[in-house]
Amino acid sequence: MRLLLAVKIHRLATVAVIVLTLPGLFNSAAAVTLDYTTDLQLWLKADEGVVTNGQPAAGIASPGNVVSWNDSSGNGHTATSVGGAGGPSDAPDLYLTGLNGLPVVHFHDDYMTIDGQVQTSSDFTIFGVMNTSNVNNFAYRTLYSNWDFTNQGESVYFGTVDFASTNQSWPRFTDNLTNPDNNTFTNPDKSSIIRLVHDASGGTSSIYQNGTLVAEGTAAPRNFTSQFVLGRQGANSVEWRQGDLAEFLVYDDVLSATDLSLIHI
């Protein structure tokens, strides 16, 4: 997995140089393959397939606002910027030197819709190579969600609860797995591999940070039919994300230890 190397520093030598291939479109200099693709539904990586408008905000070293983010899984789940808390022109930014000097998409009260039905299986694993930048004293910060008013109790929402005054960030996946036992991520402002696993057979959900279990809980079966978005709580204009995302993957399965080893976890 390419940008998981943003966390695994000892493998950084294998990362290809970023080159500009088309106006506003950034791709790696060499084709990147993923060693485990069975049941892979979505693969977004900030070093490939990010289209920008070439107009960065004042004072920001960036190729510009993100227009779209192509799905490298081959399933066509392209993410498209559609606005934010400040209006329809808001969009995330692409930073070429983000987490550990590698590209990231930076969310700051903006969001992107994702084409198609991303998930179909009640068993799933989600990865995010990410951090959180706490700007409010206390805030829910959703990264990925399909919440709407028809599936309020069955939707997916994956993110954090941030408490800036103490630099704490709690795992969040449904209301049943939000700050259980006050478990917190370590150094949430630094890059981490966050992994969410939902096992439908036992109705259990687990969240890991860099391979270490952080939180466990139970959750009813999820409803995947409504549209998924990045950057806020689905169709609800709340819980805006603040932070960087280097890579994001969704698998329609609970991955085994062997599977994880193939993804360098």
Side-chain angles (χ1 to χ4, degrees), residues 98-176:
L99 302 178
N100 291 323
L102 297 176
V104 297
V105 171
H106 177 72
F107 289 87
H108 45 90
D109 292 348
D110 31 50
Y111 77 111
M112 308 180 75
T113 57
I114 303 175
D115 291 344
Q117 184 175 338
V118 179
Q119 295 181 241
T120 59
S121 171
S122 294
D123 288 329
F124 57 88
T125 305
I126 299 173
F127 297 93
V129 182
M130 54 193 278
N131 71 357
T132 182
S133 52
N134 315 24
V135 297
N136 293 336
N137 188 44
F138 176 87
Y140 291 92
R141 298 293 187 189
T142 301
L143 172 63
Y144 170 73
S145 176
N146 74 328
W147 187 99
D148 70 14
F149 291 96
T150 67
N151 67 354
Q152 297 182 46
E154 301 175 330
S155 62
V156 174
Y157 42 99
F158 170 52
T160 56
V161 183
D162 298 336
F163 194 49
S165 64
T166 58
N167 195 36
Q168 287 182 306
S169 185
W170 307 320
R172 175 163 166 75
F173 168 61
T174 80
D175 288 330
N176 290 344

Side-chain angles (χ1 to χ4, degrees), residues 1 4 7 99 125-132 143 158-160 169-173 184-197 206-215 241 244-245 247-250 260 265:
M1 183 182 292
L4 288 186
V7 177
L99 302 178
T125 305
I126 299 173
F127 297 93
V129 182
M130 54 193 278
N131 71 357
T132 182
L143 172 63
F158 170 52
T160 56
S169 185
W170 307 320
R172 175 163 166 75
F173 168 61
T184 61
F185 290 124
T186 303
N187 298 321
D189 57 329
K190 308 299 182 184
S191 57
S192 292
I193 304 172
I194 306 301
R195 171 166 45 107
L196 165 65
V197 180
S206 307
I207 295 180
Y208 299 81
Q209 180 185 25
N210 299 331
T212 299
L213 180 66
V214 176
R241 187 70 190 164
D244 298 330
L245 181 64
E247 188 165 13
F248 189 76
L249 298 97
V250 177
L260 292 174
I265 299 296

